[in-house]
């Protein structure tokens, strides 16, 4: 087939549902984790120094960076299994492709998820 025919087939959307799961859920988890950890860190430093004023460096740099690192770790921990599922679906030669659920079950049976 020509490139145009190939792109017009389902090849362009193969694994789209898994991609949406992989990207959608972790983004929500990231924002929740970031806000939670930023609030907890701010409270911790305010209580530790017994003041409402924490240093500018801690407040403007360290707390957001630490909260961002925490949020990214949590988001990838949640999203990584969906990345494995997406990759399996997109690499599969099986037509039609397995669903997200069926692929997850298959990977779990193989001990890879």
């Amino acid at each position: 087939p020509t490139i145009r025919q190939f792109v017009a087939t389902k090849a362009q959307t193969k694994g789209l549902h898994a991609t949406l799961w992989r990207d959608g859920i972790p983004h929500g988890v990231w924002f929740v984790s970031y806000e939670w950890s930023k609030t907890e860190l701010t409270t911790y430093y305010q209580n530790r120094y017994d003041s409402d004023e924490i240093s500018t460096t801690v407040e403007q740099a360290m707390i957001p960076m630490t909260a961002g690192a925490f949020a990214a770790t949590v988001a990838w921990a949640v999203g990584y299994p969906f990345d494995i599922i997406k990759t399996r679906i997109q690499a599969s030669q099986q037509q039609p492709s397995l669903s997200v659920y069926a692929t997850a079950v298959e990977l779990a049976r193989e001990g890879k998820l």
Side-chain angles (χ1 to χ4, degrees):
T2 67
I3 292 175
R4 179 177 283 201
Q5 290 169 332
F6 178 76
V7 171
T9 65
K10 286 193 153 226
Q12 65 184 348
T13 60
K14 188 173 183 178
L16 179 62
H17 288 100
T19 301
L20 294 173
W21 281 99
R22 182 203 64 181
D23 290 342
I25 292 173
H27 278 78
V29 168
W30 188 94
F31 283 104
V32 169
S33 299
Y34 178 80
E35 288 301 323
W36 177 82
S37 60
K38 192 171 85 169
T39 300
E40 291 296 314
L41 287 167
T42 301
T43 302
Y44 170 79
Y45 278 105
Q46 286 174 343
N47 290 339
R48 181 176 177 167
Y49 295 111
D50 217 13
S51 169
D52 287 339
E53 293 294 322
I54 56 177
S55 80
T56 304
T57 303
V58 170
E59 186 175 25
Q60 292 183 354
M62 296 305 294
I63 289 175
M65 284 179 19
T66 305
F70 173 78
T73 302
V74 173
W76 263 111
V78 170
Y80 198 74
F82 291 107
D83 189 55
I84 295 169
I85 294 166
K86 174 202 67 79
T87 302
R88 173 67 69 97
I89 290 171
Q90 288 178 335
S92 172
Q93 298 297 316
Q94 183 176 343
Q95 293 296 331
S97 299
L98 292 176
S99 69
V100 172
Y101 178 77
T103 303
V105 169
E106 182 180 281
L107 285 165
R109 284 189 185 133
E110 294 172 9
K112 296 179 180 176
L113 188 61

